[in-house]
Amino acid sequence: MATVSVASSVESRPQPSAPLVPKVKASGLSFYYGAFRALKELDLVVHENCVTALIGPSGCGKSTFLRCFNRMHDLYPGNRYEGEIRLYPDDINLLAPGVDPIEVRMRLSMVFQKPNPFPKSIFENVAYGLRVRGERSGRTLEGKVEAALRDAALWSEVKDRLHQLAFNLSGGQQQRLCIARALATDPELMLFDEPTSSLDPIATASIEELIADLKKKVTILIVTHNMQQAARVSDFTAYMYLGQLIEFGRTDELFIKPKNKQTEDYITGRFG
Amino acid sequence: MPYARDLKSIRRLIAAHKRWDLVFACCGVLALMVGLLTFIALFVDMAIDGVPRLNWDFFTNFPSRHAAQAGILSAWVGSCLVMLVTAFVAVPLGVGAGLYLEEYAPKNWVTDVIEINVTNLAGVPSIVYGLLALGVFVYQFGFGQSILSAGFTLALLILPVVIVATREAIRSIPVGIREAAYALGATQWQVCKDHIIPYSSAGILTGVIIGMARAIGETAPVITIGALTFIAFLPPSPIKAEPPFLSFEWLTSPFTVMPIQMFNWTSRPEAAFLQNAAAAGFVLVLLTLAMNGFAIWLRYRLRKNIKW
């Protein structure tokens, strides 16, 4: 049953027409939580202005993988990376010891599983990334906040209450606010960590629509436990299992004719 | 009792179990009342003795050999000034230490040892702080028997309370909020300054006020460092008419505080002085209750906007 609906949502989609340009490339990436090796020699290319989805059963390491890109693991002691993640066009290794994780986080941005707005006003939430970058001019801030909220399809709902607390928004609106916050600083790559897993179906649909729109502007890497979602929003999909990347390919190919038996078992619902 | 099968025996069994609910509820109420009634009895007794003595002059008169003319002016001014110093010392030190332990310190055994010691400090008898302060602040640092020494001593005394409250408040901030800030490229200090400190301020302030409410009633350490028991003048005013308008002379002035004034009066043989002591005690308890009440109100106000 699952295959039919996944396949049908893939088939009708037009292929991306522009030539593929790599934006980030992970090669030989392993990651350790202390002595535990959570990721094993992963290789993955994320193409510019495409949505790439990471799927797999819970505990397979997809969130761990995602959090390597913006060095979130550096926040906690005992974590270690091996291999590299190169960011293009400047071709630097994001994981190199000489690269400051703060610089990496300024260039990439992240949307989390649970909406996590700051207990501040809607405006201040979106403006925070800009303030961290030293933006002081009120007019510039206002302009960029409005643009980010428009891009996150939230402007019309909040334009009259920008200075009210973000907590007064609904769950779906909060998540779009978090997307606006992540967009405001013009990131080169946006990381989404199961952004709809705590939302209802209507809010989920609006976030998915948003992601499909956003790829015109920004490259997106999204973790999802929901295969239909991967099929609906992504151009490329990677299937992970037990810290390994089992199969990577165009979403339509991966869902309709997976090359790997394990991938097939997972997407047909026989496993997972 | 046999295993209950039919409805009748199930009901009997539930009734038997529910008797224990009742027994425990009675014990709980009893335990609560022992503490509460004792406090109420003491407070009412003190109020009966003291309230007739309360009038405007009682607050504006210096202590005197004549019970009827004696007041608590030097005592309440002294208490307020000492508390001011206590707050100015305890808040930055306590919040700084708590923030460091929670956000910056590496999680290793050194941090664990420090943590255990901070918690233990809260249990050290206050007289020990007094003796320490006598050696360190009064003689070593040469602060003398002054408001400054007393403020530092009481600050030291409530420091563990402030540190623990700060850490608790910081810990209640969800990881997601921290990560959101870090993911935007904030440095550790930006996360602390823009998020951690503002969001934990309610808890920190509550801890500070509860600590201060304890400090204001402390007698032993303040006597140890040499507070006067009879004082008929006020410290120099902190505000001056001529520039630079602010003066810090009061910091080095001799002083007394409310509980010492009370202690002084209770050791007098005349009954009229005991009345004065009851009145001063009444004022002190009201002050403490007011501070605690303010802490609760503040927590309510500041947390209204933060739901997690």
Side-chain angles (χ1 to χ4, degrees):
Chain A
M1 289 300 283
T3 5
V4 176
S5 61
V6 171
S8 64
S9 61
V10 173
E11 267 167 340
S12 54
R13 205 144 31 84
Q15 293 287 321
S17 47
L20 295 172
V21 181
K23 185 66 206 172
V24 271
K25 197 175 191 174
S27 42
L29 176 71
S30 295
F31 177 77
Y32 299 82
Y33 285 113
F36 175 67
R37 193 180 189 202
L39 300 178
K40 293 158 196 159
E41 306 264 329
L42 303 186
D43 298 301
L44 178 79
V45 185
V46 176
H47 297 287
E48 209 162 284
N49 296 94
C50 290
V51 177
T52 304
L54 298 172
I55 60 168
S58 15
C60 71
K62 47 194 193 304
S63 286
T64 304
F65 186 26
L66 191 78
R67 291 163 67 93
C68 289
F69 286 84
N70 66 345
R71 303 270 300 263
M72 284 308 266
H73 297 300
D74 288 41
L75 294 177
Y76 307 97
N79 296 337
R80 192 160 59 83
Y81 312 91
E82 261 172 26
E84 52 182 32
I85 296 178
R86 302 200 82 87
L87 180 67
Y88 298 97
D90 34 351
D91 194 21
I92 55 163
N93 176 13
L94 298 178
L95 302 180
V99 173
D100 192 335
I102 291 168
E103 177 190 313
V104 175
R105 292 182 204 130
M106 282 202 175
R107 301 182 59 176
L108 274 51
S109 68
M110 187 170 218
V111 176
F112 296 80
Q113 193 165 358
K114 206 170 151 259
N116 54 0
F118 302 128
K120 295 177 187 280
S121 70
I122 293 168
F123 183 88
E124 281 306 323
N125 262 281
V126 182
Y128 188 68
L130 301 165
R131 290 198 192 278
V132 165
R133 280 156 184 77
E135 184 57 68
R136 296 269 179 277
S137 143
R139 190 167 298 162
T140 314
L141 282 173
E142 272 169 38
K144 291 203 168 187
V145 167
E146 178 177 341
L149 285 168
R150 280 188 195 281
D151 285 342
L154 193 60
W155 176 251
S156 61
E157 291 159 65
V158 301
K159 62 171 190 277
D160 300 322
R161 45 176 177 152
L162 286 176
H163 297 284
Q164 284 182 22
L165 270 183
F167 283 168
N168 295 335
L169 298 173
S170 72
Q173 287 174 323
Q174 286 188 16
Q175 193 63 308
R176 274 181 282 150
L177 180 67
C178 293
I179 294 174
R181 184 174 66 186
L183 271 172
T185 52
D186 302 317
E188 295 167 56
L189 171 71
M190 275 183 94
L191 308 167
F192 286 79
D193 189 359
E194 300 195 20
T196 61
S197 62
S198 64
L199 301 180
D200 63 70
I202 293 170
T204 300
S206 75
I207 301 273
E208 285 181 8
E209 205 176 309
L210 183 57
I211 290 171
D213 272 351
L214 283 177
K215 72 174 181 187
K216 287 176 217 132
K217 294 180 180 248
V218 58
T219 311
I220 290 170
L221 182 60
I222 177 172
V223 164
T224 173
H225 61 263
N226 179 331
M227 282 180 283
Q228 278 81 357
Q229 182 167 73
R232 282 191 297 263
V233 303
S234 71
D235 304 302
F236 291 89
T237 300
Y239 170 62
M240 288 178 66
Y241 181 59
L242 293 178
Q244 282 173 311
L245 202 130
I246 307 294
E247 185 167 351
F248 172 66
R250 283 190 180 277
T251 300
D252 38 14
E253 286 165 15
L254 188 123
F255 276 103
I256 294 164
K257 35 180 195 304
K259 297 186 187 77
N260 191 294
K261 180 77 174 63
Q262 284 185 59
T263 316
E264 191 183 339
D265 286 350
Y266 181 70
I267 61 175
T268 52
R270 249 171 293 182
F271 160 78
Chain B
M1 201 182 286
Y3 179 69
R5 282 174 199 286
D6 55 292
L7 195 55
K8 217 173 122 195
S9 53
I10 285 177
R11 282 184 182 153
R12 208 164 44 233
L13 191 70
I14 292 172
H17 287 170
K18 278 193 172 170
R19 270 200 290 281
W20 284 105
D21 276 348
L22 191 68
V23 170
F24 178 76
C26 290
C27 292
V29 168
L30 202 70
L32 185 66
M33 283 305 148
V34 169
L36 202 60
L37 288 178
T38 313
F39 171 74
I40 291 173
L42 282 173
F43 187 66
V44 168
D45 186 48
M46 197 162 65
I48 291 169
D49 285 348
V51 170
R53 195 52 197 83
L54 289 180
N55 55 34
W56 187 246
D57 287 343
F58 188 67
F59 291 95
T60 54
N61 281 0
F62 286 111
S64 156
R65 278 182 292 123
H66 309 287
Q69 287 158 24
I72 55 169
L73 179 63
S74 50
W76 73 256
V77 171
S79 272
C80 288
L81 292 176
V82 169
M83 282 304 110
L84 199 67
V85 177
T86 303
F88 265 93
V89 176
V91 172
L93 286 183
V95 174
L99 197 61
Y100 175 78
L101 282 174
E102 213 46 48
E103 292 293 314
Y104 284 83
K107 302 280 173 275
N108 57 25
W109 66 270
V110 181
T111 315
D112 286 344
V113 169
I114 293 174
E115 190 175 340
I116 293 168
N117 278 302
V118 167
T119 324
N120 282 345
L121 279 181
V124 172
S126 57
I127 186 85
V128 176
Y129 283 99
L131 288 170
L132 172 89
L134 183 67
V136 176
F137 300 135
V138 178
Y139 295 122
Q140 199 68 40
F141 291 1
F143 291 171
Q145 300 171 340
S146 61
I147 291 176
L148 192 63
S149 291
F152 269 80
T153 312
L154 294 181
L156 219 55
L157 188 78
I158 68 166
L159 205 54
V161 179
V162 178
I163 293 175
V164 170
T166 303
R167 300 190 64 184
E168 290 294 322
I170 290 175
R171 258 182 240 161
S172 72
I173 299 172
V175 179
I177 296 287
R178 255 190 207 85
E179 289 194 342
Y182 279 118
L184 287 167
T187 59
Q188 211 161 10
W189 171 241
Q190 282 171 324
V191 172
C192 287
K193 153 178 84 81
D194 299 336
H195 302 283
I196 306 292
I197 297 174
Y199 309 158
S200 58
S201 59
I204 293 173
L205 277 173
T206 312
V208 169
I209 294 168
I210 286 171
M212 303 263 285
R214 182 186 160 195
I216 202 170
E218 277 297 339
T219 325
V222 191
I223 288 182
T224 317
I225 61 161
L228 301 179
T229 51
F230 186 96
I231 187 167
F233 57 87
L234 285 182
S237 166
I239 298 160
K240 289 266 150 68
E242 64 273 11
F245 301 112
L246 280 180
S247 149
F248 292 100
E249 257 180 273
W250 57 276
L251 284 172
T252 54
S253 164
F255 67 100
T256 192
V257 289
M258 294 280 291
I260 293 181
Q261 185 64 70
M262 259 183 86
F263 175 69
N264 175 259
W265 279 333
T266 46
S267 53
R268 299 283 192 102
E270 300 96 319
F273 277 112
L274 290 181
Q275 239 185 36
N276 282 354
F282 183 76
V283 173
L284 192 58
V285 172
L286 282 192
L287 215 58
T288 312
L289 287 180
M291 285 170 89
N292 282 324
F294 181 63
I296 293 167
W297 176 81
L298 208 61
R299 182 164 46 188
Y300 168 76
R301 268 302 301 276
L302 290 171
R303 284 204 184 147
K304 209 165 56 177
N305 291 339
I306 297 179
K307 304 171 212 133
W308 47 51

